[in-house]
Amino acid sequence: MVLAIKAIMASVSGKYEGDPNVKNKVSCSPSSSSVAEAVGINEKAWLRKLDYHLLPPLTLLYLLSLLDRSNVGNARLEGMADDIHMSGNQYLTGLTLYFIGYVLFELPCNVVLKNTTSRQWLPTLTLVWGVVATLLGIVEIYPGYLASRFFLGVAESGLFPGVVFYLSMWYKRNEQHYRVALFFSAASLAGAFGGILAWEIAHMEGGLNGWRWIFILEGLLTVVVSILAYFWVYNYPSTAEFLAEEERQFIQFRLKNDSDATINEKFTWSAVLDAFKDPKVWLYGLGFHTMSLPLYTLSLFLPTIIKELGFSAAKAQLLSVPPCAVAFVLTIGVAIASENTRIRAPFIMGSSALGCIGYILLLSQHRAGVSYLGIIFAAAGIYPAVAIVLSWPANNISGQTKRCIANALQISIGFALGYLVVNIVVVGILWLVLRRENAEKERAREAQGLTPLMGDVGDAEGDFQGDKDSRWVFQT
């Protein structure tokens, strides 16, 4: 079969060699489907084989990642805040520290991935965050909660961008989005099963408060799975044990004419700089930034939001399942439609519009049933849109190191840098507006022979018009 693949390539190249009408020989390369047919490979069945070997371990790791980061919302309902004497604002501070750790270490984690292997790095990250998540169950004081959340963010930071880069080394560009969506669908599954699992665990008998068992048991599960992942996660096509030599040749052929995955590219800092200088990378990041706030407020606060509608804590845990189940179905459905049409942006905008309808219903209605329907619409819009946004750079960015950095940078921008960039823009606009109005007031004072107010406003002569008064100078 290996010789057959090489022979087909040679025959096509020879057929057009020297033909003055053929300017681009790459376009004359045989399609992967024609090669597959010639050598007796069922390409669809072969892709399913890849999916069965690659996606289950990655999806399970991400599912555990989301359970371990979002179960704090379930634990809060079961009394965690009261036991460690934590106010609502202090709880939010812990959530914020998670994302600070995530953002700070996301880029370094992908640099490590590029210089090691997926089998070494991804399970190690999982093992570390599993230990940290377990330790959350024995926290007694508020500083311990803060430290645990920060280091949980550090450990989890490398998984998602690392997996997106990893999949880009296995699948053709138009095949990647559907696989990223399957992988990301674990986010909605985590929300669906997390509520049921937390409710069951919290009502166990075992000498500890229920919220502690949520962290301990789910964290220990992550530790066990991480050990299995050292044998379950594969490296890249050239060394994957489940591939025969002819299959390696076939996958190399498929990727060679579609992406840069077959190039033996060494890590260079110039490629890292190239990612930072590319404005499209920043736009991908800002695209995720606009989705990150609704995504994580929904995933982290879903049980609390439902409880505020008037339901008990137990019912709130269970009612968090339907919105996430609907989101799971739509994430897969939209991914299939996007892959078949090779269109990304319209599906992102359409899904976001559905999410907007959900938030309008949630915020404008005081009836529990209508508000709950709004939650379902919001989840059904947010998750499909995020899945496409996060797979977009892997589809379009060429250069392995640049793509690896861009995948990490996208989420870093989405979590924190996006807010800082928007802050700079907003403050800059406000600064210009205030300076312009101060200049207009100065001209008005000169025309009227007035001086700025330097002391008590009560000393002002005549009618004082508030901040519209020409004597009132804005601080810039």
Side-chain angles (χ1 to χ4, degrees):
M1 186 180 292
V2 177
L3 294 176
I5 293 174
K6 293 180 178 179
I8 293 172
M9 289 293 295
S11 66
V12 173
S13 300
K15 178 179 179 181
Y16 293 99
E17 187 173 0
D19 189 338
N21 296 320
V22 178
K23 298 180 180 180
N24 187 356
K25 294 182 182 180
V26 174
S27 63
C28 300
S29 299
S31 66
S32 59
S33 57
S34 63
V35 172
E37 183 179 353
V39 297
I41 290 179
N42 183 329
E43 191 168 15
K44 289 185 177 180
W46 182 80
L47 278 173
R48 286 196 297 271
K49 176 181 177 179
L50 288 188
D51 294 341
Y52 293 150
H53 282 84
L54 302 179
L55 296 181
L58 301 177
T59 303
L60 180 57
L61 294 185
Y62 190 53
L63 172 63
L64 294 172
S65 167
L66 291 160
L67 283 176
D68 289 332
R69 86 174 60 162
S70 61
N71 59 11
V72 66
N74 304 109
R76 186 188 185 197
L77 284 183
E78 300 299 334
M80 179 187 69
D82 295 332
D83 285 358
I84 63 175
H85 311 292
M86 178 173 60
S87 67
N89 286 335
Q90 288 176 322
Y91 169 75
L92 294 177
T93 300
L95 298 186
T96 303
L97 278 176
Y98 169 89
F99 291 107
I100 292 175
Y102 200 109
V103 168
L104 289 177
F105 285 86
E106 192 170 26
L107 196 59
C109 280
N110 257 26
V111 172
V112 174
L113 174 63
K114 184 68 176 76
N115 289 282
T116 56
T117 67
S118 51
R119 173 169 282 176
Q120 294 171 339
W121 187 236
L122 299 181
T124 300
L125 290 175
T126 309
L127 176 62
V128 173
W129 93 60
V131 172
V132 174
T134 304
L135 294 177
L136 262 169
I138 61 172
V139 163
E140 296 288 348
I141 56 176
Y142 178 61
Y145 163 71
L146 295 180
S148 299
R149 290 300 297 180
F150 175 79
F151 286 107
L152 185 66
V154 171
E156 290 190 358
S157 63
L159 181 67
F160 192 93
V163 169
V164 173
F165 170 73
Y166 172 76
L167 292 177
S168 74
M169 302 297 287
W170 279 91
Y171 293 97
K172 294 167 69 173
R173 291 170 61 195
N174 195 53
E175 297 166 348
Q176 292 167 20
H177 165 58
Y178 175 60
R179 275 76 192 180
V180 172
L182 286 174
F183 165 69
F184 182 73
S185 65
S188 49
L189 283 179
F193 292 117
I196 298 174
L197 190 60
W199 186 85
E200 291 287 348
I201 294 175
H203 292 82
M204 288 175 50
E205 298 290 338
L208 295 175
N209 287 347
W211 68 267
R212 294 187 181 277
W213 284 117
I214 292 174
F215 288 126
I216 292 171
L217 293 183
E218 292 183 1
L220 288 175
L221 175 62
T222 300
V223 171
V224 172
V225 172
S226 71
I227 296 172
L228 296 176
Y230 282 106
F231 307 95
W232 198 9
V233 173
Y234 295 94
N235 287 322
Y236 301 115
S238 59
T239 59
E241 297 87 346
F242 71 93
L243 290 176
E245 182 58 33
E246 57 267 20
E247 291 176 312
R248 289 196 182 94
Q249 291 291 334
F250 181 59
I251 197 171
Q252 292 287 324
F253 165 75
R254 294 178 83 250
L255 296 176
K256 183 177 181 180
N257 294 309
D258 183 77
S259 70
D260 56 26
T262 60
I263 299 174
N264 186 20
E265 180 184 312
K266 301 295 183 182
F267 175 85
T268 62
W269 286 106
S270 61
V272 175
L273 183 62
D274 191 27
F276 277 91
K277 293 192 299 183
D278 189 340
K280 295 187 294 298
V281 172
W282 292 87
L283 289 174
Y284 290 129
L286 290 174
F288 176 60
H289 163 72
T290 57
M291 301 299 305
S292 61
L293 185 61
L295 172 66
Y296 285 101
T297 52
L298 190 67
S299 62
L300 291 172
F301 291 96
L302 182 58
T304 303
I305 293 171
I306 295 174
K307 184 182 178 184
E308 292 297 318
L309 297 180
F311 298 99
S312 66
K315 286 186 176 180
Q317 302 278 31
L318 298 176
L319 285 173
S320 63
V321 175
C324 298
V326 172
F328 171 77
V329 173
L330 278 183
T331 299
I332 301 302
V334 171
I336 293 173
S338 179
E339 179 177 313
N340 290 339
T341 59
R342 297 179 180 247
I343 294 175
R344 303 289 184 258
F347 286 102
I348 297 172
M349 294 186 289
S351 297
S352 297
L354 180 61
C356 289
I357 294 172
Y359 274 106
I360 290 171
L361 290 175
L362 178 61
L363 297 174
S364 63
Q365 291 291 325
H366 300 288
R367 290 174 292 175
V370 178
S371 296
Y372 184 68
L373 179 63
I375 293 173
I376 294 176
F377 276 27
I382 291 169
Y383 284 96
V386 172
I388 302 177
V389 166
L390 290 176
S391 66
W392 216 356
N395 293 163
N396 288 337
I397 294 176
S398 183
Q400 295 170 16
T401 301
K402 180 182 179 181
R403 184 167 63 252
C404 184
I405 298 303
N407 289 333
L409 191 59
Q410 179 191 31
I411 302 179
S412 295
I413 295 170
F415 280 161
L417 294 180
Y419 287 101
L420 296 177
V421 170
V422 172
N423 174 266
I424 293 171
V425 172
V426 170
V427 171
I429 293 173
L430 182 59
W431 184 35
L432 293 175
V433 169
L434 294 176
R435 285 170 58 89
R436 185 189 65 188
E437 292 197 15
N438 276 347
E440 293 174 354
K441 290 183 177 187
E442 183 178 4
R443 289 192 292 269
R445 289 196 303 272
E446 291 176 353
Q448 299 171 21
L450 300 174
T451 58
L453 289 173
M454 303 301 294
D456 194 334
V457 173
D459 297 335
E461 299 178 357
D463 294 330
F464 179 65
Q465 302 174 0
D467 62 8
K468 294 181 180 179
D469 197 294
S470 62
R471 294 167 292 175
W472 181 271
V473 180
F474 293 114
Q475 301 296 306
T476 61

